[in-house]
Amino acid sequence: MNRKIFFQDIVLQLWRAYPKFRGESKVSTWIYRIAINTAITSFRKKNAPIELQEHLPADNWHTENIEPSENEEKMFQAIRMLKKEDRALIALFLEDYSYREIAQIIGISENYVAVKMSRIKDKLKDILKS
């Protein structure tokens, strides 16, 4: 799916869902949930090509050129070795979302988020030890 069309699909879904937004969560959590559900729906469609990129294109970055430290790079490499679902959870955690917000975004219980995060942290420790 073309990225521009995909982005437009997310914006369309946000526009349609906005009247139903009750304000029971942060706007960012609500947007993230709509975006993830839209992505999942589009990937389930027949013949929807999935394109996974490890890095964003360089032209999308307008911030300072900050090189990751050696430890950060090792951590990123370890995260890349996780399953997609685990990478999604750890990404939300690293974006400073609370377990409650992650639970709302992903659609699982807050308790299960805590269990999954504990397991992910253990996996990362094992990867980094080897």
Side-chain angles (χ1 to χ4, degrees), residues 30-49:
W30 175 78
I31 290 172
Y32 216 108
R33 179 70 187 241
I34 297 288
I36 284 177
N37 286 337
T38 303
I40 289 170
T41 300
S42 67
F43 291 144
R44 286 183 179 160
K45 291 179 184 176
K46 287 185 178 180
N47 301 324

Side-chain angles (χ1 to χ4, degrees), residues 2-17:
N2 183 320
R3 278 187 270 187
K4 185 175 182 180
I5 293 170
F6 185 66
F7 175 75
Q8 290 172 345
D9 195 25
I10 291 172
V11 171
L12 176 64
Q13 295 305 320
L14 287 167
W15 182 263
R16 288 180 176 167

Side-chain angles (χ1 to χ4, degrees), residues 19-21 24 26 28 31 41 52 62 66 70 74 80 93 96 114 121 124:
K20 298 175 188 171
F21 178 62
E24 294 173 357
K26 288 184 182 177
S28 61
I31 290 172
T41 300
L52 177 64
H62 298 289
I66 301 174
E70 188 176 334
K74 286 179 184 178
R80 286 185 203 109
F93 178 75
D96 290 328
K121 289 175 185 179
L124 288 172

Side-chain angles (χ1 to χ4, degrees), residues 60-121:
N60 284 349
W61 292 96
H62 298 289
T63 58
E64 299 175 31
N65 253 346
I66 301 174
E67 292 294 321
S69 71
E70 188 176 334
N71 286 339
E72 288 173 325
E73 189 56 40
K74 286 179 184 178
M75 179 61 78
F76 292 139
Q77 287 175 355
I79 290 171
R80 286 185 203 109
M81 296 172 80
L82 298 172
K83 291 187 274 182
K84 288 181 183 181
E85 298 83 16
D86 293 345
R87 287 195 315 248
L89 279 171
I90 198 72
L92 291 170
F93 178 75
L94 293 173
E95 289 290 328
D96 290 328
Y97 283 92
S98 69
Y99 284 5
R100 174 172 279 139
E101 292 168 327
I102 293 171
Q104 290 174 342
I105 291 167
I106 302 294
I108 60 178
S109 73
E110 186 176 347
N111 199 31
Y112 191 54
V113 170
V115 169
K116 292 286 288 176
M117 287 303 300
S118 177
R119 291 177 183 165
I120 291 168
K121 289 175 185 179

